[in-house]
Amino acid sequence: MLSTKDSTQIQKEKKIIGALAEKVWDAKTQQYHGGQEWKFLNNFVEDFSVTTNGLGTPKHALKAAKEALNFCGHYPPGDQEPAKSDLAKWMAPAKLGLDWENVHSRMLLGNGASELIDLVTRVSPRGYWKPGPNRVQYKEYERSAIADKREVIPYSDPRPATLTCLVNPNNPTGSYMHIEELKKYIEETAVDNSVFMVDESMQIWHSNKFQLDSLISQSEWIENLYKTRKIAVYIMHSWTKIWSCTGIRLGSVLCPTAELASELKKLQVPWSVNVAALRFLEVVCSEEEEEYLNKTWELTPKWRASEIEKLRELEKSLTGESGNWKLDGEDFLSWIWIDFLDEVTAEDAAEKARQAGVPVRPGKNGYKEYTKVRIAVRSPEKVDILINAWKDLKRSQ
Ligand SMILES: Cc1ncc(COP(=O)(O)O)c(C=O)c1O
């Protein structure tokens, strides 16, 4: 039996931990995001609340970024080179039959994808904003739309949206449209003279030929859609997840045409990508980090499958059953979207994970998914800590 003093202390601690999200985010003005609580946990071990690469930050690129700070007495290059060319060559390699120069002419780098999401939102024609075919998706697009004083309508609303934003694969649900299905969806749902942003940040995990199932390989189709119907497809990439560098901020956008890229450049704040981030990008796109990416494509699905197995064992030990919890998302992804089908369990899972120094992303924050949490794919030893923290998860009666 705990003494009254002990149990009061525990209650107090629980309250403080529960209030962490409010401490970091100004809920009145900012959108909740994972990845902020780790530094408040004095027993922090691993961040399961973000979808970053479980292999951690690539070390050659990190070293180069640190060294680049020796030149912080100078401005970064105004043309974002050579990092921009390196990224274009990496994204559209000739060996896959892609034209990197075309991609380069349509590209802008940004201070994280967030900067570019906001920029494209502001240049899009006035009118309704709609998400892709999901009630739940990464919230930054909606936040930018609301900040730009747009009226937000549900994806199923028949009113024509001048700006549609689709996240593929969808974060957090993990659902994914293959390229032909995605193109068909755009052709059928976008209205003429509108903007369609597609976020492919998480698509990189697909395979070492991710480009072939991505809009990156569809330059002609994009050009044609713009010419014939004035539907402007912008492809958004956050590079902070695949290369686990959320702190240095790196994103890119591929505009439908080089002319539209110039229009966007006119409005972009200069030097928004700093010297460390540019140098980091050069190295991740080089042969030096080829092994890191090969390991990512090889290990992530294996780690994910083993994480799912451990969750199923846990479910069985807690409920006596297996297979009821929904563990969603494509096999290649860097996270699992868990539906415990029980609010009490989801709440307790977030709480116990924090207390064990392995924070997860509660579905209730922002997404209003009260029975769900999102957890990152991590190495088996780290996963064991999370599973152990969950061994006595509460259930509603
Ligand atoms: C799908 C998706 N797109 C874009 C972003 C924005 O990332 P950043 O601004 O760090 O590049 C995120 C971050 O969580 C994301 O999950």
Side-chain angles (χ1 to χ4, degrees):
M1 229 355 225
L2 289 171
S3 69
T4 317
K5 192 171 157 240
D6 281 345
S7 79
T8 318
Q9 184 59 27
I10 288 170
Q11 287 305 324
K12 210 171 129 198
E13 273 170 17
K14 276 193 170 178
K15 225 173 144 199
I16 292 166
I17 291 168
L20 267 182
E22 281 131 64
K23 180 174 172 155
V24 179
W25 297 106
D26 171 1
K28 282 200 273 337
T29 58
Q30 291 181 302
Q31 175 59 52
Y32 175 88
H33 195 285
Q36 294 278 314
E37 293 168 358
W38 66 276
K39 63 174 180 278
F40 298 100
L41 306 174
N42 50 22
N43 61 343
F44 175 72
V45 186
E46 177 64 90
D47 196 354
F48 280 79
S49 77
V50 284
T51 57
T52 47
N53 193 327
L55 294 179
T57 311
K59 57 180 188 310
H60 301 296
L62 181 60
K63 183 165 173 279
K66 286 181 188 170
E67 285 166 6
L69 291 177
N70 290 326
F71 301 95
C72 73
H74 302 277
Y75 275 102
D79 60 0
Q80 308 178 323
E81 295 292 358
K84 190 165 121 175
S85 291
D86 290 345
L87 179 63
K89 286 177 194 163
W90 177 84
M91 273 170 94
K95 65 177 183 214
L96 294 181
L98 302 175
D99 176 357
W100 78 266
E101 282 169 324
N102 171 295
V103 162
H104 179 266
S105 71
R106 294 157 43 214
M107 181 191 279
L108 239 63
L109 304 181
N111 187 269
S114 303
E115 181 201 359
L116 302 166
I117 292 168
D118 203 64
L119 198 55
V120 176
T121 301
R122 287 169 200 270
V123 303
S124 297
R126 302 308 305 166
Y128 296 121
W129 178 94
K130 224 183 226 194
N134 295 289
R135 189 190 71 71
V136 172
Q137 73 170 31
Y138 180 59
K139 297 290 276 185
E140 193 55 29
Y141 289 90
E142 184 185 306
R143 185 209 63 78
S144 289
I146 293 169
D148 193 37
K149 305 201 168 27
R150 288 169 186 274
E151 190 176 334
V152 168
I153 57 175
Y155 76 91
S156 49
D157 194 307
R159 283 175 288 178
T162 52
L163 174 58
T164 307
C165 297
L166 185 155
V167 182
N168 192 51
N170 183 23
N171 178 14
T173 68
S175 62
Y176 180 58
M177 279 192 237
H178 289 285
I179 191 65
E180 290 309 321
E181 189 190 350
L182 174 62
K183 281 161 57 184
K184 189 163 178 275
Y185 181 81
I186 297 172
E187 284 168 2
E188 288 176 359
T189 57
V191 293
D192 292 3
N193 303 302
S194 71
V195 167
F196 208 106
M197 267 198 264
V198 181
D199 186 316
E200 294 195 333
S201 307
M202 307 303 177
Q203 200 271 341
I204 315 300
W205 269 274
H206 178 275
S207 65
N208 61 358
K209 293 195 182 62
F210 65 91
Q211 295 92 335
L212 302 183
D213 203 36
S214 144
L215 286 174
I216 296 170
S217 63
Q218 301 298 319
S219 306
E220 272 177 40
W221 176 83
I222 289 173
E223 195 184 330
N224 201 33
L225 202 59
Y226 188 65
K227 248 194 219 147
T228 55
R229 296 179 54 193
K230 284 279 177 297
I231 296 172
V233 176
Y234 289 82
I235 314 170
M236 200 58 72
H237 283 101
S238 164
W239 299 112
T240 65
K241 308 302 180 305
I242 188 77
W243 286 310
S244 191
C245 61
T246 48
I248 66 168
R249 322 297 304 122
L250 259 181
S252 67
V253 62
L254 291 187
C255 303
T257 65
E259 293 70 36
L260 287 172
S262 291
E263 288 301 309
L264 209 56
K265 204 193 308 183
K266 273 189 212 156
L267 300 171
Q268 187 179 28
V269 172
W271 308 298
S272 67
V273 188
N274 64 45
V275 285
L278 288 171
R279 185 70 191 115
F280 183 93
L281 186 56
E282 276 177 56
V283 177
V284 282
C285 294
S286 75
E287 279 177 6
E288 276 189 90
E289 293 296 5
E290 234 175 70
E291 198 189 324
Y292 173 90
L293 281 174
N294 288 334
K295 244 171 124 180
T296 300
W297 289 312
E298 186 205 325
L299 278 183
T300 311
K302 286 189 189 153
W303 282 358
R304 193 176 190 279
S306 107
E307 204 161 319
I308 285 184
E309 217 170 281
K310 287 176 185 175
L311 285 165
R312 287 291 176 218
E313 280 165 26
L314 175 74
E315 179 187 18
K316 191 142 198 217
S317 78
L318 287 169
T319 67
E321 292 158 9
S322 188
N324 289 341
W325 290 354
K326 288 176 73 195
L327 307 177
D328 284 338
E330 291 284 316
D331 295 344
F332 62 81
L333 289 174
S334 62
W335 74 91
I336 303 167
W337 181 230
I338 307 174
D339 187 354
F340 292 111
L341 306 162
D342 185 332
E343 276 184 38
V344 172
T345 308
E347 178 87 35
D348 196 41
E351 189 71 33
K352 290 207 163 103
R354 274 191 217 106
Q355 287 176 359
V358 283
V360 300
R361 167 70 164 91
K364 68 171 185 175
N365 294 344
Y367 299 130
K368 299 194 172 70
E369 291 282 0
Y370 296 93
T371 60
K372 300 179 188 176
V373 301
R374 188 191 66 198
I375 66 170
V377 168
R378 293 292 182 252
S379 64
E381 320 83 73
K382 303 273 176 58
V383 172
D384 288 343
I385 300 169
L386 179 65
I387 297 287
N388 191 43
W390 282 358
K391 65 181 186 301
D392 297 316
L393 279 185
K394 290 182 197 157
R395 298 165 68 197
S396 57
Q397 293 311 314

